[in-house]
Each structure stands twice: as structure tokens, then as C-alpha cells.
């Protein structure tokens, strides 16, 4: 079963993706991870991606899709995969669905993690990281001391409220149209309430997958 995860930054797609992957016994594939693997392994697509990155350019969709094709053709994904961060725009959604079709497979479910903007800003701006040992924390104020190593907790620039609003605006403009596109193309989109307890969210996701 091929499952695509959608949802705004901070909705917990990565964490829930891992939990769902574990329960279903299939791998979770995140674009960043397969990209790094392809570069490390020196595959044709990996080398192509590296050339763009070395020039400071974004890796184009065609190369990302090539890397996804390799990943989805591998024996590890024979029973399925959970795709996290693979689809952020309508052209990427179109590219992925035709790629999956060319492999004789289909996108079985789209899980949409639903959470309000205010909750996201609260959640993301509540994250800090130690400037020494890089341990991430929740609900500890910037400037306080790391209990592990005595370093100072700081907020990532990406997690400043202003930056979060910008990331959300990008999501609304680029990724929300994917939801409409998916419904219009008869993909099975299931909305999941992404607030509250981690276990409850995983249970909701499993129910949405009819598992
Ligand atoms: Zn520390």
C-alpha cells in the first residue's frame, strides 16, 4: 500500500509516518533521506542531484522523481511505502501518480494531517534546541540551560513565529491545492485530526487506513 502524507509544517507527519510505518511493517520514505542516500551511493540520479546542489540550485522535480522511482522499485518497498514530504506541489503530485502508475502500482491513500494555524505556531515556537549538544526540547524557554550538558537552549530561526507564518503561507499557496487536485483525481484522501496525544493520532491514522 502506497500512502502519501500531507499536512502543514509542524503537523507531526514525520513522527506519525514513522509510527504508521512501524505498525504496517513498511518503510517510510522522506525526500531528504532518499536524496542523501542516492548521493552517498553515487547513483545516476544522486550524481545529478549533487550537481544541482553544488551549484546552490534546487534539485528539480524530474531528478527527485527519478530517485523516488529507484526507491519504489526496490525490494524494500514491494509491500508498500509511506511517502513523507514527497508531494508539496500539484506538479509533484502529477509526477508521482504517473510514476507510481508506470510501476503498475497506485497511491492507495492520502493522509491529511489537519491542525489549526494557532496550534501550529504554539507547537513550533515551543521547540528549542541546545546550542551545544543539539538535543531538541519541547516547552522549554529559549535562554534556559540544557539539563544534559549545561549548554543554552535556543530557538531555530525557522521556528520563530514570524518564520512559521511564512512557512504556513507557502504551504497554503503550494500544498493546499494538492488536496483539491487529489480529490478531483479520485485519490482516497482521509483527514486526520492531528491535535492531542501522539498515540491517539496514530490510532486515528490507522483507522483512516482501515487497519
Ligand atoms: Zn545540551
Amino acid at each position: 500500500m502506497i500512502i502519501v502524507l500531507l499536512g502543514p509544517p509542524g503537523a507531526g507527519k514525520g513522527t506519525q509516518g514513522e509510527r504508521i510505518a512501524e505498525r504496517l511493517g513498511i518503510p517510510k520514505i522522506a525526500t531528504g533521506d532518499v536524496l542523501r542516500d542516492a548521493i552517498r551511493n553515487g547513483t545516476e540520479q544522486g550524481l545529478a542531484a549533487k550537481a544541482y546542489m553544488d551549484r546552490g540550485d534546487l534539485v528539480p522535480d524530474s531528478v527527485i522523481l527519478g530517485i523516488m522511482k529507484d526507491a519504489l522499485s526496490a525490494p524494500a518497498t514491494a509491500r508498500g511505502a509511506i511517502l513523507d514530504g514527497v508531494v508539496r506541489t500539484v506538479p509533484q503530485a502529477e509526477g508521482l501518480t504517473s510514476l507510481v502508475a508506470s510501476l503498475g502500482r497506485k497511491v492507495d491513500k492520502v493522509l491529511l494531517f489537519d491542525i489549526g494555524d494557532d496550534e501550529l505556531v504554539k507547537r513550533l515556537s515551543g521547540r528549542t534546541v541546545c546550542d551545544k549538544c543539539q538535543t531538541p526540547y519541547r516547552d522549554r524557554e529559549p535562554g534556559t540551560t540544557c539539563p544534559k550538558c549545561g549548554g543554552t537552549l535556543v530557538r531555530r530561526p525557522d521556528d520563530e513565529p514570524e518564520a512559521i507564518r511564512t512557512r504556513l503561507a507557502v504551504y497554503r499557496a503550494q500544498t493546499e491545492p494538492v488536496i483539491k487536485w487529489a480529490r478531483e483525481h479520485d485519490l482516497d484522501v482521509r483527514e486526520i485530526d492531528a491535535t492531542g496525544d501522539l498515540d491517539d493520532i496514530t490510532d486515528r491514522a490507522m483507522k483512516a487506513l482501515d487497519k
Side-chain angles (χ1 to χ4, degrees), residues 130-135 137 146-153:
C130 173
D131 67 353
K132 252 174 144 179
C133 70
Q134 304 300 322
T135 303
Y137 291 97
C146 173
K148 274 197 185 166
C149 76
T152 306
L153 305 191

Side-chain angles (χ1 to χ4, degrees), residues 23-201:
R23 290 212 200 168
L24 294 176
I26 58 177
K28 187 192 88 157
I29 298 179
T31 306
D33 296 340
V34 283
L35 185 57
R36 271 189 296 275
D37 286 349
I39 291 170
R40 197 174 43 234
N41 296 331
T43 68
E44 192 187 331
Q45 302 290 344
L47 292 175
K50 190 170 180 299
Y52 285 100
M53 290 163 77
D54 286 347
R55 290 197 298 267
D57 290 334
L58 279 177
V59 181
D61 286 353
S62 57
V63 175
I64 298 286
L65 284 169
I67 290 173
M68 291 310 303
K69 187 170 188 177
D70 290 345
L72 290 173
S73 312
T77 60
R79 290 183 52 240
I82 295 174
L83 307 183
D84 173 20
V86 176
V87 175
R88 292 179 200 273
T89 64
V90 170
Q92 288 171 357
E94 289 169 341
L96 180 74
T97 42
S98 46
L99 156 67
V100 168
S102 77
L103 295 170
R105 305 173 79 170
K106 70 181 180 78
V107 173
D108 294 282
K109 290 269 191 305
V110 176
L111 291 186
L112 171 59
F113 290 83
D114 197 25
I115 179 167
D117 282 10
D118 290 343
E119 176 69 23
L120 281 176
V121 173
K122 204 173 115 198
R123 197 185 272 194
L124 291 173
S125 60
R127 300 199 302 198
T128 46
V129 60
C130 173
D131 67 353
K132 252 174 144 179
C133 70
Q134 304 300 322
T135 303
Y137 291 97
R138 272 185 192 285
D139 302 322
R140 281 181 195 259
E141 289 296 310
T144 55
T145 303
C146 173
K148 274 197 185 166
C149 76
T152 306
L153 305 191
V154 294
R155 197 181 267 156
R156 290 194 183 95
D158 253 15
D159 289 339
E160 293 291 347
E162 189 80 351
I164 296 167
R165 297 280 178 198
T166 307
R167 287 160 70 194
L168 286 175
V170 170
Y171 173 78
R172 301 287 174 229
Q174 294 191 344
T175 311
E176 273 196 350
V178 174
I179 300 161
K180 188 166 170 264
W181 181 91
R183 291 202 167 109
E184 282 168 2
H185 288 77
D186 294 326
L187 293 183
D188 190 355
V189 181
R190 304 282 176 104
E191 275 180 53
I192 295 154
D193 174 3
T195 58
D197 184 73
L198 280 182
D199 288 328
D200 292 342
I201 301 169

